[in-house]
Amino acid sequence: MDRETGYGEQGCPSAEEVALLGRWHAFAGGVRRLSDELLEDVAATAGLSPSSFQVLWFLANAPDQSAPMNQLSATLGFSTAGTTKVADRLAAAGMIERRPSATDRRVIFARLTDAGGDVARMAGSALAAALRKRIVDPLGDDEFARLAEVVAALARPPGHHCE
Amino acid sequence: MDRETGYGEQGCPSAEEVALLGRWHAFAGGVRRLSDELLEDVAATAGLSPSSFQVLWFLANAPDQSAPMNQLSATLGFSTAGTTKVADRLAAAGMIERRPSATDRRVIFARLTDAGGDVARMAGSALAAALRKRIVDPLGDDEFARLAEVVAALARPPGHHCE
DNA sequence: CAAGATTGAGACCTCAATCTTT
DNA sequence: AAAGATTGAGGTCTCAATCTTG
């Protein structure tokens, strides 16, 4: 084990480090490819970007098919600026409408239009079908649930029990 | 169950569909936040974007600290165009050098510079530390390995056994 | 013609200001 | 001052077209 590879000098990354990062890259890369394949199916059906679909689906399951921009930012995990632009595209496509709040004039509500509702249902069942084919079918239903739980728990700062 | 919600018409998303998509959003969102936190630690240490770091790390563990652009595209999961731009930034920062292949004049090799090697080692141990703190510590080492295996297996078209 | 790499245009997000309302 | 939303500038990737080499 000499230095002819040009490594040495100071602090060759230990083999354990290499294995650890390798695992992470396998995981992150796998999730990325999986995501791309799934959303490719959705895009082929409805012509929607991932974030646009996420907003439509959230509104479809929200009371009165509407929610403040604020709340959309939270579910998307985006900055408020990014959320505004997503809403701009959806509004330009006629899938949502903006309505000012009656009680707080700073707040803008995004409301699903009928056309947006149709697209949300179609894209939703397309994604559900893709999920069954690519995940639930090879993995099993409860194994998938466990996977989602583990990851969601990791993403929270330790100490988040109930809501 | 009347239609006053504006839903009905044809094909209300079944409760099973809603649960399925909910699980997926929990999973994908969790991975996204986890990724962001980890790479935030790396960026704070080395000032690197995720894709730049991935290239540096790959080159650091490659024979002769170099690889053809081709191969970088594959590990990144990017188009060749995107890979070119990543290499542009790394070359402008003095972390890699471009060298034409002697045997095939279409091929360009990216080679890690000494400065790039230093950054790769620092960023690598920063990411390894973050991984231990946020994943291996709360989850256990083999549980993490299992997670990576499962996801990587899902991302492959069914029928990829060896290699 | 096919493969490797690059360029330019466009899509999507973030950060830093800004404006309005509370 | 703080909160909600928007705008403009900038970074990162993709697609389509191009150029070179095999």
Side-chain angles (χ1 to χ4, degrees), chain A residues 24 27 146-160, chain B residues 26-27 29-35 37-38 130-140 143-145 147-148:
Chain A
W24 169 251
F27 176 72
R146 210 181 69 81
L147 202 67
E149 254 180 57
V150 167
V151 171
L154 281 181
R156 292 188 210 308
H160 263 267
Chain B
F27 176 72
V31 171
R32 187 192 191 280
R33 280 176 296 184
L34 196 54
S35 243
E37 289 171 10
L38 290 169
L131 284 171
R132 290 193 196 96
K133 187 176 69 174
R134 296 188 191 273
I135 300 190
V136 175
D137 184 37
L139 209 66
E143 181 69 6
F144 177 35
L147 201 67

Side-chain angles (χ1 to χ4, degrees), chain A residues 68-89:
Chain A
M69 297 295 300
N70 210 354
Q71 213 163 329
L72 297 184
S73 295
T75 58
L76 281 171
F78 282 2
S79 68
T80 63
T83 307
T84 292
K85 295 171 207 273
V86 174
D88 284 346
R89 288 181 299 242

Side-chain angles (χ1 to χ4, degrees), chain B residues 60-79:
Chain B
N61 295 100
D64 206 22
Q65 272 78 54
S66 71
M69 297 295 300
N70 210 352
Q71 213 163 330
L72 297 184
S73 294
T75 58
L76 282 171
F78 283 2
S79 68

Side-chain angles (χ1 to χ4, degrees), chain A residues 5 7 11 16-17 21 23-24 37-38 57 60 65 125 128 131-132 134 141 143 146-147 154-155, chain B residues 5 7 16-17 21 23-24 37-38 57 60 65 78 121 125 131-132 134 141 143 146-147 154-155:
Chain A
T5 57
Y7 237 112
E16 185 247 348
E17 246 179 25
L21 295 202
R23 245 172 254 171
W24 169 251
E37 289 172 8
L38 290 170
W57 185 255
Q65 271 79 52
S125 55
L131 284 171
R132 290 193 197 95
R134 296 189 191 272
D141 199 21
E143 181 68 6
R146 210 181 69 81
L147 202 67
L154 281 181
Chain B
T5 58
Y7 238 112
E16 185 247 348
E17 247 180 25
L21 295 203
R23 246 173 253 173
W24 169 251
E37 289 171 10
L38 290 169
W57 186 254
Q65 272 78 54
F78 283 2
R121 278 188 290 275
S125 54
L131 284 171
R132 290 193 196 96
R134 296 188 191 273
D141 199 22
E143 181 69 6
R146 210 181 69 81
L147 201 67
L154 281 180

Side-chain angles (χ1 to χ4, degrees), chain B residues 74-134:
Chain B
T75 58
L76 282 171
F78 283 2
S79 68
T80 63
T83 307
T84 293
K85 295 173 206 269
V86 174
D88 284 346
R89 287 177 299 226
L90 287 172
M95 297 184 182
I96 68 170
E97 279 174 358
R98 283 184 162 102
R99 319 195 107 234
S101 165
T103 69
D104 187 336
R105 302 233 289 266
R106 295 173 299 181
V107 172
I108 305 283
F109 276 84
R111 189 183 180 290
L112 204 58
T113 64
D114 290 347
D118 290 346
V119 174
R121 278 188 290 275
M122 284 194 302
S125 54
L127 179 54
L131 284 171
R132 290 193 196 96
K133 187 176 69 174
R134 296 188 191 273

